[in-house]
Amino acid sequence: TPTQLAWYLEKVNTMAKLVFMKKECIGAGQCEAISPELWKVIGDKAELKGAALNPKTGNYELVIDDKLLKTQKIVAGSCPVGCIHIEK
């Protein structure tokens, strides 16, 4: 129905994808300090909670909505090795 289609398009347009290149991570912990609801440092690497491994890229990915986007942009900008990216 048109209403369902409008709802779907609105949802899709408000989603972004966090991409975490875990192999590059040095475990500095900025991500967890800023956003402990999504990030946790375990040992010498961070973990992106709820993320799925993309077998083609070897990166971890998590779809987020606009409510989380602003904070995750700060997280991505704070990473000292630049291993966190956002795709919109």
Side-chain angles (χ1 to χ4, degrees), residues 26-70:
I26 61 170
Q30 291 297 102
C31 53
E32 183 180 12
I34 296 167
S35 178
E37 67 276 7
L38 287 185
W39 297 93
K40 176 81 176 158
V41 176
I42 300 172
D44 63 348
K45 300 280 184 187
E47 299 282 338
L48 176 54
K49 299 174 185 177
L53 177 62
N54 180 329
K56 291 182 181 177
T57 64
N59 298 329
Y60 287 83
E61 300 177 352
L62 180 67
V63 175
I64 59 170
D65 62 21
D66 277 349
K67 293 176 192 168
L68 295 172
L69 185 58
K70 183 177 179 181

Side-chain angles (χ1 to χ4, degrees), residues 15-27:
M15 302 301 242
K17 181 168 51 175
L18 270 177
V19 179
F20 174 45
M21 299 181 296
K22 187 173 182 174
K23 293 176 189 171
E24 307 296 322
C25 179
I26 61 170

